[in-house]
Each structure stands twice: as C-alpha cells, then as structure tokens.
Amino acid sequence: MASSNLLEWPEAIVPVQTLSGSGMSTVPQKYIKPPSERPSGSTNDPNLRIPVIDLACFSNAPDHHQALLEAVADACKDWGFFQVVNHDVDIEVVKRMRGAWREFFDLPMEEKKVYANLPVTYEGYGSRLGVEKEAILDWSDYYFLNLFPRDIRNLDKWPKIPTDLRETTEKYACQLISLCQVLLKAMSSSLGLEEDYLHSAFGGSDGISATMRANYYPRCPQPELTLGLSSHSDPGGFTLLLTDDNVEGTQVRKGDSWVTVQPVPGSFLVNIGDQIQILSNGRYRSVEHRALANADKDRHTVAFFCNPRGDLPIAPASELVGPESPALYQKAITFNDYRKCMRTKGPTGRTQVQSISSTMQPEPAA
C-alpha cells in the first residue's frame, strides 16, 4: 500500500547491520524478493565489459580530444555506464574517504542512531528507501548527505565521529564536483551541444545540486534471495560511484543479462541518470543497475549524485529535437517533483522515466 507521508517511516527501522550481526541463518521474510527480482541472469561473457575512458585525453591534442568525445558518446548510448581513469581526484583523499565512512559504520549502533534519518530529506543514517508500508526491503544501510549548493547542508547531520570525517568529506566533495564539471562538458560536446549547455541546464555554478550516499552492505546469510539494492535507474543527472576496492557487487543491465562491474583500480564508475536522458531527448539512456548481497564479506561504496537545481524545469534540448527526432518528453518537470517517486516508492526499475515519455514505442534494449 502506497503512502504519501514523507514525514516518517511507515514501520520501525531495524538496521541491516543489526540483523547481519545477530547470527541469523535465514533472511527475514520482508527482505526476500519475488523470484523474478532475485539475483539471477548474471553473465561472465568477457566481451561484455563496462567501457573505460581516460580523461587525460580531454585536454590534449585535438585528435585525442575528439576520440574522447566519441568514446563518451558510445558509452552513454550503448551502456549508460563507463569507468573514468586519470580524473585528477587525489587518491589520498579517496583513501581517507573510504576509511572514514567504514569507521563510521563500525561505530556502536547507539552512536549511529543519533543521526537517524526521515524520508522528507533522507539526510542521515538510514536503512530503507521509499515509504510504502510492508514493502520488500533491501539488504543495506546507508548515510545520505546534501552537499551542494552549500546552503542546503544540514551540518547537524554531518557525523562528528570519526573526527576526520567532516573534513575528508568536504575535500572529497569539492574534488568530485570539479570532476562533474569536466564530465558535463564532455557529455555536452559529445551530444553536439555547446560545451556549457548541460552545466547551464543544471543551474550553473551556483545552482548545480550534489548529494552523496555512503552505502554499507553487511554480510547476508542468503544472498540468493535478496539484493543489496533493488534494480533502478538513478533519477538525477549522473552518478559517480566509488566502488569497494576488494568486493564486487554492482551489476548493470545489458539486454536480458546482468553484467557485474569489474572495477579498474583508481577509477570512478559513472552512470547516466534520468535527467540526462530527458535533456538528451533519449540519445543517452539511464540504465537499470543493482547491488548484490554477499554471504562472506561486507561491502562499502560511496555514490556522488550530480543533479540539476531542484526548481528548474527539465526538458529535451531544443537542438536535439526536430522532424526526425521529435521530443520524447514534451512536458517539462522539475527535479524536485521528479524525485518524489523514488522517495515515495523506492527503487522501481525504469518505470518512472518510461512513464513520462510521450512515445508508446518500446525503448531500445540497453
């Protein structure tokens, strides 16, 4: 049963870490997915690999620059995902970021629960997405923060322990928003738009929104019955995922198969969100992805979400609309309105972006 109340969770929250640490041998019923949603259909086909893009080419010779734009375009069209290397994010900051958030999730439960979140903003420590009562839940805990613009931050929700977490998160956020600027330019140019088009459409230097979610996937006694995070496309602009450096678990849908991401050391995993799909008039596609549970190891990731300013109407770029490519999304919608679906229903595949398309033709397989 759906609920429109975003002021409180519909049921008492039990952190997954508590369940995992209890020694239980079976997964509680509320975490067991229907058979069609369980982690099957994975492929080990060596020909199916997430593209890797070297950003060092972006500012080099013109022929290298053009090759980079073509690689970005191909990855965004064919996969909706790619890994970036040589991105200029300080590796030491990345290491401290991983360490600080792992240390946070290792704190005693009573210290973490001080920062418990509510669905109205999601800021803080939580264990579920969506407010549908009796929903089937995912096997994960997380910590969500608003980062940019700075005036949306609630510093009361920034943990004080470990002591270096705030400073580390600030440095990390500043470096990743700079990387986002580079990627916005690359995506704009690869679409044949002016280099600053997407940057402006997202709200410009003072308006681009960025949030983050530190994800914790505790060990699971029956990973074949559940998921760490259900299949979904990201509702925002695009995402930079800092993957676990020891444990795999992110999967991307490719046609009828699920491809497990093989992280490149020192890389970020980039995925296109629904807002880029809308702005590109469907040329670049957000793609379903999910996170697996693991019986033997805990897994940690950090997702950095680059989004349009919440109150700006988002619609296809006029330059990408014409007689041979009519607008697939004819009614502009703000990101604030768009993301209400995720906050109400939680991860639901690609149902939301498909529901606002003006064409009834099926989308091409990813």
Side-chain angles (χ1 to χ4, degrees):
M1 179 178 178
S3 170
S4 60
N5 181 14
L6 293 177
L7 298 179
E8 60 184 7
W9 299 112
E11 299 149 334
I13 298 295
V14 179
V16 172
Q17 185 177 12
T18 298
L19 300 176
S20 177
S22 70
M24 63 173 54
S25 59
T26 58
V27 170
Q29 187 65 37
K30 66 168 58 179
Y31 294 90
I32 297 178
K33 304 294 183 184
S36 63
E37 298 177 18
R38 293 176 191 172
S40 59
S42 301
T43 180
N44 294 316
D45 186 341
N47 295 317
L48 291 177
R49 295 279 182 172
I50 305 297
V52 178
I53 294 177
D54 186 347
L55 290 183
C57 298
F58 194 54
S59 58
N60 287 347
D63 55 338
H64 292 166
H65 182 92
Q66 184 58 36
L68 171 73
L69 297 183
E70 291 173 1
V72 168
D74 289 344
C76 293
K77 290 175 182 176
D78 296 340
W79 281 91
F81 271 79
F82 55 93
Q83 298 186 72
V84 291
V85 296
N86 291 321
H87 41 63
D88 286 340
V89 176
D90 188 340
I91 192 64
E92 290 302 319
V93 173
V94 170
K95 289 179 179 178
R96 291 198 297 272
M97 186 71 172
R98 280 195 174 112
W101 283 101
R102 283 175 176 162
E103 188 176 341
F104 172 83
F105 284 111
D106 284 342
L107 291 173
M109 188 57 65
E110 59 269 21
E111 293 187 39
K112 294 193 288 282
K113 283 190 172 182
V114 170
Y115 300 102
N117 69 350
L118 292 171
V120 64
T121 67
Y122 273 91
E123 284 185 281
Y125 177 62
S127 299
R128 70 176 291 165
L129 299 170
V131 293
E132 290 198 339
K133 193 172 183 179
E134 300 179 358
I136 299 175
L137 303 180
D138 291 330
W139 195 263
S140 58
D141 299 327
Y142 65 86
Y143 206 103
F144 184 88
L145 286 177
N146 287 318
L147 299 174
F148 297 106
R150 294 177 187 275
D151 60 10
I152 68 171
R153 297 181 182 184
N154 177 3
L155 292 181
D156 290 338
K157 287 293 187 180
W158 287 53
K160 296 179 180 179
I161 301 174
T163 55
D164 65 338
L165 185 145
R166 288 189 173 193
E167 179 184 1
T168 298
T169 300
E170 171 69 17
K171 288 181 178 179
Y172 181 83
C174 289
Q175 292 199 26
L176 260 67
I177 199 68
S178 296
L179 175 55
C180 287
Q181 311 279 13
V182 173
L183 292 172
L184 282 169
K185 289 181 178 180
M187 290 179 197
S188 290
S189 297
S190 67
L191 284 164
L193 301 170
E194 292 294 327
E195 185 179 70
D196 291 331
Y197 182 90
L198 289 176
H199 180 265
S200 297
F202 273 40
S205 299
D206 296 327
I208 289 179
S209 169
T211 60
M212 62 154 274
R213 190 176 67 226
N215 301 304
Y216 175 39
Y217 303 99
R219 283 171 290 179
C220 177
Q222 294 177 298
E224 71 279 4
L225 298 181
T226 189
L227 287 167
L229 184 59
S230 294
S231 172
H232 65 288
S233 63
D234 288 354
F238 63 94
T239 304
L240 297 171
L241 183 70
L242 177 62
T243 58
D244 194 297
D245 49 0
N246 295 309
V247 187
E248 297 173 358
T250 301
Q251 290 192 322
V252 176
R253 182 184 282 279
K254 184 67 171 174
D256 294 328
S257 297
W258 288 96
V259 179
T260 300
V261 175
Q262 309 291 328
V264 174
S267 69
F268 287 98
L269 180 65
V270 182
N271 69 275
I272 300 301
D274 294 348
Q275 304 306 300
I276 291 287
Q277 174 164 326
I278 295 168
L279 284 159
S280 70
N281 199 31
R283 295 192 185 188
Y284 292 172
R285 294 186 176 276
S286 58
V287 171
E288 282 182 80
H289 51 288
R290 66 187 185 184
L292 302 180
N294 190 300
D296 302 316
K297 297 179 180 180
D298 296 342
R299 190 166 75 97
H300 295 262
T301 66
V302 181
F304 186 95
F305 305 103
C306 181
N307 302 320
R309 199 178 79 197
D311 60 348
L312 290 178
I314 301 298
S318 59
E319 296 90 336
L320 303 179
V321 175
E324 296 183 0
S325 56
L328 298 179
Y329 312 96
Q330 295 185 354
K331 184 179 179 181
I333 184 171
T334 67
F335 181 53
N336 281 343
D337 287 337
Y338 189 90
R339 65 181 167 184
K340 287 178 182 177
C341 179
M342 174 70 86
R343 291 190 170 182
T344 301
K345 297 182 179 180
T348 55
R350 287 177 46 75
T351 56
Q352 187 179 12
V353 71
Q354 290 170 342
S355 72
I356 66 169
S357 175
S358 59
T359 177
M360 296 304 293
Q361 296 179 351
E363 295 182 333

